[in-house]
Amino acid sequence: MSEMSFEQMLEESLKSVHAGEIVTGTVISVKPDEIALNIGYKSDGIMTRSDYSADNQLDLTTVVSVGDEIECKVKKVNDGEGQVVLSHRDALQSKASEELRKAFEENAILTGKVVQVVKGGLNVEVDGARIFVPASLVSDSFERDLNKYQGQDIQFVITEFNPAKRRIIGDRKQIMSAMKKEQHDKLFSELKEGDIRTGVVKNLTDFGAFIDLGGADGLLHISEMSWGRIENPKKLFKPGQEVEVLVKEISGERIALTRKFPNENPWKDAESKYAVGEIVTGRVARMTDFGAFIELDKGIDALLHVSQISKDHVNKPSDVLEPGQEIEARVVDLDVDNHKISLSIKALIPEEEGDVADVDVEAASEE
């Protein structure tokens, strides 16, 4: 048997390659738009900028150095000039495709970056592979504008995998639904009446605000927003605002909230501060035909009946009083349990200045 020549031994030591194979090459030279690699084959491999990155403005010398190892996919064994055509992007996509297949089969949760918002959904990239998330599967609630997801990392599962047709469908909705159910169950297992929680204003109506407690919404009725009078919830709160609330009642899935914290109750000292016979000062808060409501303190309004405004006949309060006007009056009736106080200006008029009419407590208590 004749001895092999050096050239023959070298030829035998070099591996063979075929199109579609994944190989690892060592960079032997790099230009702004091209990389040459040694892949252990008789010919060197060539990789263009477009086969390395989707950025057609990228200067390869800024990201690749001689001696670096790069995983590549063989596109052509011979480009016509004896060189092997390689693609790093194709290698990443092939590898990612296998990972996606595995994730699809195992229903695993993936994280990818939204690289494009298109009509009808989101294009998400995972290790160079593209997944389409339809608008209907982006969230468990209607999303009018998907642009907020641009550039964001989102989680999803793959519900359809068909790389041959370039159809890989992601679903974020079921993850959102599962997370919310988990939060919901956790919230209701822990939540108790009397708890103080911090929530976020979800939306506002004329009758109150819905507060997201992290798993379920609670209703903060307008009458429970403050110990004082609230005319419009939208003047007090804004969507997205954090608020501290007290859990007033839990009835099945319904949660009633309040911001009338017991320690802030202005009525707790009312029995001594507004005892019958006391002279008090207040501000005209609002008026009706039968009387004026006088704000004595934040959260405490007293009724000054029209018959108790003056010793002279008064048709309606607005004939002699103005909103914001400060008045002095005597407390003629106090009902702490029902949060009612009745006032009289007439009761302050000395007898020598005129006949003082008996205070009509029943009339002064009307609303």
Short mmCIF file of all heavy atoms in Angstrom, two decimals, residues 131-134 137 156-160 168-172:
data_model
loop_
_atom_site.label_atom_id
_atom_site.label_comp_id
_atom_site.label_asym_id
_atom_site.label_seq_id
_atom_site.Cartn_x
_atom_site.Cartn_y
_atom_site.Cartn_z
N ILE A 131 -43.07 35.35 15.41
CA ILE A 131 -44.34 34.77 15.83
C ILE A 131 -45.38 35.87 15.70
O ILE A 131 -45.14 37.03 16.07
CB ILE A 131 -44.30 34.27 17.29
CG1 ILE A 131 -43.24 33.17 17.45
CG2 ILE A 131 -45.65 33.76 17.74
CD1 ILE A 131 -41.90 33.68 17.90
N PHE A 132 -46.56 35.52 15.19
CA PHE A 132 -47.63 36.49 15.04
C PHE A 132 -48.66 36.29 16.15
O PHE A 132 -49.16 35.18 16.35
CB PHE A 132 -48.31 36.34 13.68
CG PHE A 132 -49.46 37.30 13.46
CD1 PHE A 132 -49.23 38.66 13.41
CD2 PHE A 132 -50.75 36.83 13.32
CE1 PHE A 132 -50.28 39.55 13.23
CE2 PHE A 132 -51.81 37.71 13.12
CZ PHE A 132 -51.57 39.08 13.07
N VAL A 133 -48.95 37.37 16.86
CA VAL A 133 -49.98 37.34 17.90
C VAL A 133 -51.16 38.17 17.40
O VAL A 133 -51.06 39.40 17.31
CB VAL A 133 -49.46 37.91 19.24
CG1 VAL A 133 -50.56 37.85 20.31
CG2 VAL A 133 -48.22 37.15 19.71
N PRO A 134 -52.26 37.53 17.02
CA PRO A 134 -53.43 38.27 16.53
C PRO A 134 -53.97 39.23 17.59
O PRO A 134 -53.83 38.98 18.80
CB PRO A 134 -54.46 37.17 16.23
CG PRO A 134 -53.65 35.93 16.08
CD PRO A 134 -52.50 36.08 17.02
N LEU A 137 -55.90 37.95 20.45
CA LEU A 137 -55.20 37.12 21.43
C LEU A 137 -54.12 37.89 22.18
O LEU A 137 -53.31 37.31 22.90
CB LEU A 137 -54.56 35.90 20.73
CG LEU A 137 -55.52 34.94 20.03
CD1 LEU A 137 -54.75 33.80 19.39
CD2 LEU A 137 -56.57 34.41 21.01
N PHE A 156 -46.22 34.75 26.00
CA PHE A 156 -47.27 34.11 25.22
C PHE A 156 -46.98 32.62 25.13
O PHE A 156 -45.90 32.14 25.51
CB PHE A 156 -47.33 34.71 23.80
CG PHE A 156 -46.05 34.60 23.04
CD1 PHE A 156 -45.79 33.52 22.20
CD2 PHE A 156 -45.05 35.57 23.16
CE1 PHE A 156 -44.59 33.40 21.52
CE2 PHE A 156 -43.86 35.47 22.49
CZ PHE A 156 -43.62 34.38 21.65
N VAL A 157 -47.97 31.88 24.64
CA VAL A 157 -47.79 30.47 24.32
C VAL A 157 -48.08 30.29 22.84
O VAL A 157 -48.80 31.10 22.24
CB VAL A 157 -48.72 29.56 25.16
CG1 VAL A 157 -48.35 29.61 26.63
CG2 VAL A 157 -50.17 29.92 24.95
N ILE A 158 -47.51 29.27 22.23
CA ILE A 158 -47.74 29.01 20.81
C ILE A 158 -48.92 28.06 20.67
O ILE A 158 -48.93 26.97 21.24
CB ILE A 158 -46.48 28.41 20.15
CG1 ILE A 158 -45.34 29.43 20.21
CG2 ILE A 158 -46.76 28.03 18.70
CD1 ILE A 158 -44.02 28.91 19.70
N THR A 159 -49.92 28.51 19.91
CA THR A 159 -51.12 27.69 19.73
C THR A 159 -51.18 27.06 18.33
O THR A 159 -51.99 26.18 18.10
CB THR A 159 -52.38 28.54 19.96
OG1 THR A 159 -52.34 29.69 19.10
CG2 THR A 159 -52.47 28.99 21.40
N GLU A 160 -50.32 27.53 17.43
CA GLU A 160 -50.26 26.95 16.09
C GLU A 160 -48.82 27.02 15.60
O GLU A 160 -48.20 28.09 15.66
CB GLU A 160 -51.19 27.68 15.14
CG GLU A 160 -51.29 27.03 13.77
CD GLU A 160 -52.30 27.72 12.85
OE1 GLU A 160 -53.17 28.46 13.37
OE2 GLU A 160 -52.21 27.52 11.63
N ILE A 168 -46.74 30.74 12.55
CA ILE A 168 -46.54 30.42 13.96
C ILE A 168 -47.37 31.45 14.74
O ILE A 168 -47.10 32.65 14.69
CB ILE A 168 -45.06 30.51 14.36
CG1 ILE A 168 -44.20 29.62 13.44
CG2 ILE A 168 -44.88 30.09 15.82
CD1 ILE A 168 -42.72 29.71 13.70
N ILE A 169 -48.39 30.96 15.44
CA ILE A 169 -49.33 31.84 16.12
C ILE A 169 -49.12 31.81 17.63
O ILE A 169 -49.03 30.73 18.24
CB ILE A 169 -50.80 31.44 15.81
CG1 ILE A 169 -51.04 31.42 14.30
CG2 ILE A 169 -51.77 32.39 16.51
CD1 ILE A 169 -50.83 32.76 13.62
N GLY A 170 -49.03 33.00 18.21
CA GLY A 170 -48.87 33.12 19.66
C GLY A 170 -50.16 33.59 20.31
O GLY A 170 -50.98 34.28 19.69
N ASP A 171 -50.32 33.24 21.57
CA ASP A 171 -51.52 33.61 22.33
C ASP A 171 -51.11 34.16 23.69
O ASP A 171 -50.56 33.45 24.52
CB ASP A 171 -52.41 32.37 22.50
CG ASP A 171 -53.71 32.67 23.23
OD1 ASP A 171 -53.85 33.78 23.76
OD2 ASP A 171 -54.58 31.78 23.28
N ARG A 172 -51.35 35.44 23.89
CA ARG A 172 -51.07 36.08 25.18
C ARG A 172 -52.33 36.09 26.06
O ARG A 172 -52.23 36.17 27.28
CB ARG A 172 -50.59 37.51 24.93
CG ARG A 172 -50.23 38.30 26.18
CD ARG A 172 -49.61 39.63 25.80
NE ARG A 172 -49.27 40.44 26.95
CZ ARG A 172 -50.05 41.41 27.46
NH1 ARG A 172 -51.21 41.66 26.88
NH2 ARG A 172 -49.67 42.11 28.51
#
